[in-house]
Amino acid sequence: MSQVTEDDQLTRLQEALDGAATGGIAVSVVAGVCLVGAFASFLLSMPFTVPFLLGFVGVTAYGWFAHQAETARTLMFVATVSTVTVLGLITFYVFLEAAPAFANMGVVELLTRLEQPLWNTETHVYSLVPLMWGTFVTTVLATLVAAPFGVAGALFISEIAPRTVREIIKPAVEVLAGIPSIVYGFIGFTVLNPYMTEKFLLAGQGSLFLAGIVIGFMALPTTVSVAEDAIASVPESMKSGSLALGSTDWQTMKSVTLPTALSGVSAGILLGVGRAIGETMAATVILGTVVELPDPLYDVFGNTITLTSAIAAQYGSAFGLHMNTLFAAGVVLFVTVMGLSIAAQYVEARMQRKLGGDV
Amino acid sequence: MSNRNATRSELVESDTSTYEVIAAATAAVGVLTSTLSFLTLAEIVPFEGGLGGIAMPTVFGAILSLLGVVTIGIGVVSAVGVVETTPDRDAGLVTAGAFGLLWAVVAGLVVSQSLGFGVVVWLPATLAVGVAVLFGAVFPKEDLGSTLPGGALALFAGAVFLTGTVGTGWSWSPPDLQASFTAPVVVPVVGIVGSLVTAWGAAKAHGAFGRRGRQRAAYMAIWLLAALVLTVLLYLLAFVTMKGAGRAFAGIGFGPGLSFNWPFLTNGVSLMEQSPGIWPAVVGTVWLVVGAVMMAVPLGIGAAVFLTEYAEQGRFTQVVEVATNGLWSTPSIVFGLFGYAFLVPRFGNTKSLFAGMLVLSFMLLPLVLITSRESLKSVPDEYRDASAALGVSRWETVRSVVLPAAMPGVVTGVILGVGRIAGETAPLLLVTAGEIFPAKQNAPAVLRSFQVDVVMGPPFLDVSNPALFEASSALPYQLYAIITAGLSSSNIENSLEFAWATAFVLLLVVLSFYAIGIATRTYFRRKISHE
């Protein structure tokens, strides 16, 4: 008797579950189709985006009440896929728009041309060399500021500062990382540029030197934060071991902590460099943004343009091949920074593996 | 016998302490001198007037000479064994190399620029001096090796300033560079270098050289660097506040009746406006942030939950991870280019608020995803197991156990992300930015222009809310616009002040988000560690 009811109950439960599963799958499929439709229609600039979107919303709303677990899972999957899609779209569209510029000049010519004219929007002769040189010089200068100060700051926060000082400084540095770049640019433009003109008797507005220093200070809080995390993650046991052998704090820092945290610290510096390369507003506002190489090349007080500031300064008047060339600058930027990001991730993964053994 | 020994050790001790005092004083003077140099460089201490009637180069010359002599003295006293110190065998290759480099630069500049020799002479001379100093620093014991080269450098610089070779009106134009180096820059910079190398040597002596001395010197250097960084960044905040707060808060108060007035925030710019303000930019930023948060936060959290709770760790999660980090590091201007190529043509070929929201949400997405994932991962597995043991389904567990536990971290991430995108300018230039000085009535009226008559067919979504599809201003763009407008507008009196006030408001908004985010995080961390 009881056996039968139990069986009965089981089958009914099974049926209900099956029903839910099929219902959930149906909802997921319909919602997916609607979303793909909306996306396709948007891609092709067709007028069906809104109806498809409404369909998606309707189906998921129904699914939320009828089959919440499956619907939620589908929605979360969609969210995950959208991240990859966004990166894919960015890559695709930036490369697509840049393609005519590469076709116009030829990839090698566009990236290495040194003869005049370097940049002529009438005859459409372009060279990205001055832009890349500007970015290179500002980045090197910025790294010269951000790397030593960043490592010193990180050591100070995690190893040297007394507890109370650390508890104030650590969040303060993080807050400072939030100062918008346009504010740095504005200060550079209104205060530091005139200062440079007066003290260094510069002829024109702006110099690579100043832009590099300002960007270095901008990247500094990021570098400090990441390097500090790396130094703090060095296991206490390693430091204690060194101290127990009679070395001083500084010897421990120099010979144990820093070498162990080296990968993390360099990841921090790489991230800082990435920020410096991609920094737009400060460079645009501080530099004179003229498309020519400084003469001689190493004249850091000269004026040129960076990949980012070329885009920001010229997009307004650009169309056709000129705009495509700006997109090509974007491609160079994108590829460089992506490479740095992957390098930083690799370095960090190595650190994890290295420290993972004994924690 | 024992009595004699005791006297002797007492004597040595008193000697050592005098020595220590002198070394500490030298280091302190060195640090103070470098501070004075920085203040001079920042024009807080005027260079032209001199200090107390004495010309600046003379002041620095005197201090540097003194520092140099005392530092050399400290080293020599330790080397001849008057006081008991514990120097290492040598000063170390890095130290020697740094001194060699410094001296090589000095020699190169003197021989090529002051004496005017060609490359045939100055290059060998530079190399010779550099190598000589390197060997001079590396061969003797540490006490001499780390004080002599630095002290001599300070002494040399002091002599150059004292003899008037480099006076107040001095300047040097290198043939290759566009810049000239004038005395107001060169004297303090040399002052910084000279005072720091001597202070470093003196700090070593204070710790009696050796391991302790090295630690003293290194700690002093790191304290100084950290102090410098913090001072510069805090000075920057103070400077913007000083310049901008006055205008930003001007005329604030209760107006006619009960209405509250904050002219700088609630006015636009127009001919009739008595006290122009940045209302349209404020509204633009608010809408941009709201829109971006509404799109990015659900996506980011959803993806984070899927990745941590559902997905198998494998190829797919790896791809998503690389994509997320890639998005996170993509320069903002590239997001702008993408919006320009992809979104703008699809929204009627005009820049629009909605395109800005989308682009900013793409920028916000990786940050929300990364921080949410971190905090989801930090939810202990016991929570999930306990819930599962009670027979709760996976989704119910996620909804009522995991997500609430991870919420603080998620919220913090969102707040920090909002701070970042609120100050973002570059992408807005390409996809959103409109007028340079918008009037009050041109502020985006998103709420008022929602139209209920949704048309299902073509054309697009924009039927429902035209305000979303018009160009708009935003706080960071407003600041950029003032700069490009050449800091002058016929409608704004004293637009430099206006610009500083805008910068101040922008800083206030962005840093408030950061401060709130970090405070929240600290609060929840403390709470968790107390539990």
Side-chain angles (χ1 to χ4, degrees):
Chain A
M1 175 68 191
S2 78
Q3 184 66 36
V4 173
T5 3
E6 212 166 70
D7 268 357
D8 199 34
Q9 268 180 348
L10 263 180
T11 1
R12 246 190 287 159
L13 190 66
Q14 196 69 46
E15 269 168 14
L17 275 178
D18 282 351
T22 25
I25 290 169
V27 166
S28 302
V29 169
V30 177
V33 168
C34 282
L35 204 62
V36 170
F39 182 65
S41 140
F42 188 67
L43 267 187
L44 304 171
S45 300
M46 288 197 303
F48 309 119
T49 314
V50 179
F52 269 124
L53 268 182
L54 287 177
F56 173 73
V57 171
V59 173
T60 46
Y62 161 75
W64 190 259
F65 290 107
H67 313 281
Q68 200 178 55
E70 284 84 359
T71 314
R73 198 192 150 123
T74 312
L75 283 179
M76 290 187 291
F77 179 71
V78 166
T80 314
V81 171
S82 73
T83 314
V84 184
T85 316
V86 167
L87 186 68
L89 279 177
I90 291 179
T91 318
F92 179 74
Y93 274 89
V94 173
F95 274 84
L96 182 75
E97 290 288 320
F102 285 113
N104 171 40
M105 294 298 298
V107 177
V108 179
E109 178 78 353
L110 186 63
L111 296 179
T112 56
R113 181 188 170 85
L114 286 170
E115 310 89 69
Q116 295 289 342
L118 290 172
W119 194 269
N120 192 326
T121 53
E122 307 273 301
T123 54
H124 290 300
V125 177
Y126 300 104
S127 161
L128 293 181
V129 174
L131 287 65
M132 296 190 317
W133 181 252
T135 297
F136 176 73
V137 174
T138 44
T139 306
V140 167
L141 285 169
T143 314
L144 287 181
V145 174
F149 282 86
V151 175
L155 266 185
F156 178 76
I157 291 179
S158 67
E159 302 288 313
I160 295 178
R163 206 183 135 86
T164 41
V165 177
R166 171 170 54 219
E167 271 173 10
I168 299 169
I169 287 189
K170 206 176 161 254
V173 166
E174 280 176 299
V175 171
L176 290 172
I179 301 178
S181 61
I182 185 69
V183 173
Y184 281 99
F186 179 64
I187 292 172
F189 181 77
T190 50
V191 180
L192 297 176
N193 260 349
Y195 176 89
M196 294 292 290
T197 313
E198 187 199 326
K199 292 291 161 80
F200 290 89
L201 312 175
L202 291 181
Q205 269 279 349
S207 60
L208 283 168
F209 179 76
L210 182 61
I213 302 287
V214 170
I215 294 174
F217 262 95
M218 272 187 57
L220 194 51
T222 315
T223 315
V224 172
S225 286
V226 181
E228 200 269 327
D229 284 342
I231 291 174
S233 73
V234 173
E236 198 57 45
S237 56
M238 293 177 80
K239 296 182 214 162
S240 319
S242 162
L243 290 173
L245 288 174
S247 30
T248 58
D249 285 337
W250 170 243
Q251 281 174 317
T252 306
M253 252 178 256
K254 207 174 63 172
S255 325
V256 177
T257 314
L258 263 188
T260 317
L262 190 64
S263 334
V265 172
S266 19
I269 294 173
L270 279 182
L271 278 179
V273 170
R275 265 203 85 163
I277 292 177
E279 170 43 41
T280 312
M281 298 323 294
T284 310
V285 174
I286 292 174
L287 284 176
T289 59
V290 284
V291 191
E292 54 194 42
L293 284 165
D295 179 39
L297 263 187
Y298 53 83
D299 181 5
V300 290
F301 293 96
N303 230 329
T304 181
I305 198 164
T306 64
L307 289 164
T308 50
S309 57
I311 302 171
Q314 301 197 349
Y315 78 96
S317 55
F319 50 87
L321 269 177
H322 185 186
M323 195 67 208
N324 295 131
T325 311
L326 296 184
F327 270 92
V331 165
V332 175
L333 207 59
F334 186 64
V335 170
T336 318
V337 174
M338 202 58 86
L340 275 177
S341 155
I342 290 171
Q345 281 175 61
Y346 172 74
V347 173
E348 244 175 333
R350 238 187 56 180
M351 163 138 180
Q352 297 264 320
R353 268 207 307 280
K354 205 164 116 195
L355 293 184
D358 57 347
V359 184
Chain B
M1 186 72 192
S2 72
N3 194 21
R4 226 185 118 195
N5 255 352
T7 332
R8 191 180 141 72
S9 83
E10 215 170 70
L11 204 75
V12 168
E13 234 165 49
S14 78
D15 271 5
T16 312
S17 68
T18 323
Y19 183 72
E20 273 182 3
V21 169
I22 293 176
T26 314
V29 171
V31 170
L32 283 179
T33 313
S34 68
T35 314
L36 176 71
S37 310
F38 275 113
L39 291 180
T40 315
L41 210 53
E43 293 185 320
I44 296 169
V45 173
F47 182 84
E48 263 69 32
L51 208 63
I54 311 167
M56 230 32 171
T58 320
V59 174
F60 277 106
I63 302 176
L64 285 180
S65 310
L66 182 74
L67 278 174
V69 170
V70 175
T71 308
I72 294 174
I74 288 173
V76 170
V77 164
S78 159
V80 297
V82 178
V83 289
E84 221 167 85
T85 51
T86 53
D88 287 352
R89 196 158 39 83
D90 59 65
L93 210 56
V94 178
T95 310
F99 277 130
L101 201 67
L102 265 180
W103 270 104
V105 170
V106 172
L109 286 177
V110 168
V111 175
S112 71
Q113 301 300 321
S114 309
L115 307 179
F117 285 108
V119 68
V120 196
V121 181
W122 73 252
L123 194 63
T126 306
L127 286 175
V129 171
V131 171
V133 173
L134 186 122
F135 280 111
V138 94
F139 272 124
K141 278 186 139 186
E142 187 204 3
D143 45 7
L144 274 186
S146 49
T147 52
L148 269 189
L153 190 73
L155 197 58
F156 177 73
V160 168
F161 291 159
L162 276 182
T163 53
T165 316
V166 170
T168 312
W170 181 88
S171 88
W172 170 56
S173 315
D176 286 350
L177 303 185
Q178 284 188 19
S180 302
F181 296 92
T182 58
V185 174
V186 171
V187 173
V189 167
V190 171
I192 291 169
V193 175
S195 58
L196 286 186
V197 290
T198 47
W200 180 79
K204 264 191 157 183
H206 182 240
F209 299 99
R211 304 181 306 135
R212 234 153 54 82
R214 280 168 197 245
Q215 163 144 336
R216 275 291 136 87
Y219 272 35
M220 185 198 74
I222 293 178
W223 266 96
L224 279 179
L225 281 179
L228 176 67
V229 169
L230 264 187
T231 316
V232 167
L233 292 175
L234 291 180
Y235 181 66
L236 201 143
L237 293 189
F239 192 74
V240 175
T241 311
M242 212 170 63
K243 287 266 194 181
R247 175 72 177 257
F249 290 132
I252 199 167
F254 290 94
L258 282 173
S259 65
F260 177 68
N261 266 330
W262 188 343
F264 189 71
L265 280 199
T266 55
N267 288 348
V269 176
S270 68
L271 266 179
M272 315 302 291
E273 197 59 73
Q274 288 297 313
S275 50
I278 51 171
W279 173 250
V282 174
V283 178
T285 289
V286 168
W287 279 118
L288 283 171
V289 166
V290 168
V293 166
M294 272 168 43
M295 286 180 265
V297 170
L299 279 182
I301 297 179
V305 172
F306 186 82
L307 287 174
T308 36
E309 306 294 322
Y310 289 93
E312 300 274 317
Q313 297 298 314
R315 188 47 63 81
F316 179 66
T317 48
Q318 233 171 6
V319 168
V320 176
E321 214 152 275
V322 170
T324 316
N325 284 325
L327 265 188
W328 169 229
S329 56
T330 300
S332 55
I333 190 85
V334 173
F335 279 98
L337 283 176
F338 164 67
Y340 183 86
F342 181 67
L343 298 173
V344 171
R346 286 172 176 73
F347 295 145
N349 258 328
T350 58
K351 299 186 196 174
S352 63
L353 196 58
F354 191 61
M357 288 174 180
L358 277 174
V359 167
L360 290 185
S361 77
F362 295 155
M363 293 186 64
L364 185 57
L365 179 61
L367 190 72
V368 175
L369 208 168
I370 291 170
T371 48
S372 306
R373 253 195 108 175
E374 289 292 321
S375 60
L376 281 169
K377 274 186 193 161
S378 70
V379 173
D381 270 340
E382 290 95 60
Y383 284 30
R384 298 185 182 90
D385 296 346
S387 179
L390 290 172
V392 179
S393 74
R394 181 179 267 187
W395 162 242
E396 282 292 330
T397 307
V398 167
R399 205 183 60 171
S400 27
V401 177
V402 179
L403 266 183
M407 225 44 206
V410 175
V411 171
T412 310
V414 171
I415 297 174
L416 290 180
V418 166
R420 184 175 133 98
I421 58 165
E424 200 55 72
T425 322
L428 296 185
L429 291 181
L430 288 138
V431 299
T432 302
E435 290 172 84
I436 291 178
F437 291 111
K440 182 163 185 172
Q441 64 269 20
N442 288 355
V446 176
L447 284 183
R448 249 183 296 142
S449 44
F450 264 115
Q451 288 164 11
V452 195
D453 51 309
V454 181
V455 182
M456 295 292 268
F460 259 74
L461 210 93
D462 55 281
V463 201
S464 59
N465 195 336
L468 273 181
F469 293 87
E470 281 165 8
S472 162
S473 188
L475 275 175
Y477 172 69
Q478 179 73 69
L479 187 55
Y480 177 70
I482 303 172
I483 297 172
T484 50
L487 292 170
S488 61
S489 159
S490 50
N491 293 343
I492 298 178
E493 269 177 63
N494 199 351
S495 57
L496 185 61
E497 228 179 65
F498 187 84
W500 279 110
T502 311
F504 172 69
V505 173
L506 176 64
L507 258 188
L508 205 63
V509 170
V510 172
L511 295 192
S512 312
F513 276 117
Y514 269 80
I516 294 170
I518 289 164
T520 326
R521 192 183 58 197
T522 321
Y523 173 75
F524 281 115
R525 269 192 196 158
R526 289 238 173 95
K527 220 174 139 193
I528 287 171
S529 65
H530 276 301
E531 265 169 13

